[in-house]
Amino acid sequence: MSRALIAGGATVAFVASLLAGQNASAASIAPPDKITIDIATVNGSGCRQGTAAVAVSEDNTAFTVTYSEYLAKVGVGAGSTDFRKNCQLNLVVHVPQGFTYAIASADYRGYASLVNGATATQKASYYFQGSPDTASRNHPFRGPLDDNWQATDSTEWGQLVWAPCGVKRNFNINTEVRVSAGTSDPKKTTSFMTMDSTDGEINTIYRLAWKECEES
């Protein structure tokens, strides 16, 4: 990796690719020129400063965020605000002239230990700076659960939120992990959910859809 920022647990990889299986009349090939991705900021209780490393690939078409403390928990040993953790990535994506892009899908993975009666939610939202259009997805989980988890966000072509053509707007990805004791007894049990990687092989992959801008 050619660039790294220290800012906040799971590994996040952003990979430029053509959205597979889309309507041939709507989808276009990805731009032939390189795109570049700059990480403007990484902020949040799940990626506080010093607990995340951000690196951009040498070809500038991917980036990885490795977290070490993206963990939400309730019950014994948990603080009053530990039930919810979040992280916001603010990205500057430089796109070749004449093209625009959108997030087509994203895969999230982590680990959950939820006792009977406890629940958890993984949430992500995506939006361009200054735009009222926000795409949000929620994935609920219910105890008993003591295993790895995976969630996929995918958007139909007609519902994609596209970057405005000819205007540079930072792209924001907000993620959240929330755990609730539910009907379990938080004085006797502990439930938690992480979005992290200890072996460097758990990735969240964001896939780009591309289309050509219409001439004005």
Side-chain angles (χ1 to χ4, degrees):
M1 298 297 180
S2 60
R3 173 181 173 182
L5 303 176
I6 300 300
T11 302
V12 182
F14 187 97
V15 180
S17 67
L18 180 64
L19 181 62
Q22 291 297 342
N23 189 319
S25 63
S28 66
I29 61 173
D33 298 329
K34 286 184 179 180
I35 67 167
T36 61
I37 303 169
D38 295 323
I39 313 299
T41 58
V42 181
N43 292 307
S45 57
C47 54
R48 63 186 181 86
Q49 186 172 0
T51 65
V54 183
V56 179
S57 64
E58 293 183 358
D59 62 4
N60 292 318
T61 60
F63 73 84
T64 299
V65 182
T66 303
Y67 307 96
S68 62
E69 291 188 6
Y70 207 146
L71 181 151
K73 64 179 179 179
V74 294
V76 178
S80 60
T81 61
D82 288 344
F83 72 97
R84 176 186 178 272
K85 298 295 180 179
N86 76 294
C87 185
Q88 175 171 311
L89 302 178
N90 185 274
L91 312 176
V92 182
V93 182
H94 303 278
V95 180
Q97 185 175 2
F99 284 86
T100 184
Y101 72 94
I103 297 295
S105 66
D107 301 318
Y108 296 91
R109 298 184 179 92
Y111 190 86
S113 178
L114 306 175
V115 300
N116 188 36
T119 61
T121 302
Q122 184 272 330
K123 178 181 179 180
S125 60
Y126 317 90
Y127 66 94
F128 292 96
Q129 184 177 10
S131 173
D133 297 324
T134 301
S136 298
R137 298 291 185 273
N138 290 280
H139 301 279
F141 300 85
R142 183 176 298 276
L145 176 63
D146 189 15
D147 204 351
N148 296 316
W149 61 268
Q150 178 176 339
T152 299
D153 294 347
S154 59
T155 305
E156 295 296 331
W157 184 267
Q159 302 300 316
L160 291 174
V161 178
W162 296 93
C165 286
V167 180
K168 290 185 178 180
R169 298 278 179 84
N170 286 13
F171 188 69
N172 292 278
I173 301 172
N174 291 334
T175 58
E176 175 184 315
V177 174
R178 185 187 295 259
V179 180
S180 172
T183 60
S184 67
D185 187 350
K187 296 181 179 180
K188 298 180 180 179
T189 63
T190 301
S191 292
F192 67 87
M193 187 174 189
T194 71
M195 193 155 66
D196 61 18
S197 175
T198 57
D199 58 12
E201 295 179 352
I202 301 177
N203 297 326
T204 297
I205 300 175
Y206 297 96
R207 297 181 179 85
L208 294 178
W210 294 96
K211 71 176 182 179
E212 294 185 52
C213 293
E214 295 181 1
E215 296 183 2
S216 58

